[in-house]
Amino acid sequence: MKKILRRFEIQQLFLMIILAYGLPQLGDWLGWYGVTPIVWIFFILNGGYALYFGWQIRKHGLSPLWLVVQPLIFALLTTLLLNLVSNQYGYYFSLFYLILSLFTFLRDTRDDPDENFVSVENGFHDLGN
């Protein structure tokens, strides 16, 4: 039986939950208010992870549907369920993370494993003869 989620995917999901829940909680415990948590937690740390995650999706050959997982977890966990971030910030940051991960996912494709495949538009002529 094939595993539903690979170890890499489980690690990324765990890391997303830590970033969506743990970092805003840490900011509350440290007494960060105003612009500080927005800049450090949401722009730099979560934004950097969104760039990394988009690159890892391409590198590991995962489905592009994984691009919406981080913004979805952030919007659901941080904004809707726990109200750690206001609704306006939560949804805009989710969109921001989606765009950042798309940047690294759609970047230069020279290292793409599918780049060197043979085109089959005219079919294979030497097979089975």
Side-chain angles (χ1 to χ4, degrees):
M1 184 163 113
K2 189 176 181 179
K3 289 184 179 180
I4 295 174
L5 292 175
R6 294 180 282 185
R7 184 172 182 213
F8 169 76
E9 294 160 348
I10 292 172
Q11 289 173 344
Q12 295 304 314
L13 286 172
F14 182 70
L15 189 56
M16 284 179 219
I17 291 171
I18 288 175
L19 289 172
Y21 174 71
L23 289 181
Q25 282 292 2
L26 181 67
D28 273 349
W29 292 334
L30 293 175
W32 287 357
Y33 296 105
V35 177
T36 304
I38 293 170
V39 170
W40 285 103
I41 293 174
F42 301 124
F43 273 115
I44 294 176
L45 294 176
N46 281 347
Y49 177 74
L51 291 170
Y52 164 78
F53 188 58
W55 174 66
Q56 287 295 319
I57 290 171
R58 175 177 279 294
K59 180 180 173 188
H60 288 277
L62 300 176
S63 168
L65 293 176
W66 275 95
L67 291 171
V68 296
V69 173
Q70 184 207 10
L72 188 63
I73 286 177
F74 183 82
L76 290 176
L77 188 65
T78 306
T79 307
L80 283 179
L81 298 177
L82 302 174
N83 291 327
L84 297 173
V85 179
S86 70
N87 287 343
Q88 187 177 12
Y89 277 135
Y91 299 132
Y92 289 136
F93 276 123
S94 295
L95 181 62
F96 175 66
Y97 301 146
L98 178 64
I99 291 169
L100 284 178
S101 59
L102 275 171
F103 280 151
T104 54
F105 180 76
L106 298 174
R107 69 169 177 76
D108 187 19
T109 62
R110 284 181 283 184
D111 64 344
D112 193 4
D114 296 337
E115 191 72 28
N116 296 324
F117 282 158
V118 177
S119 174
V120 293
E121 291 173 358
N122 294 328
F124 292 109
H125 299 288
D126 295 335
L127 293 177
N129 292 333

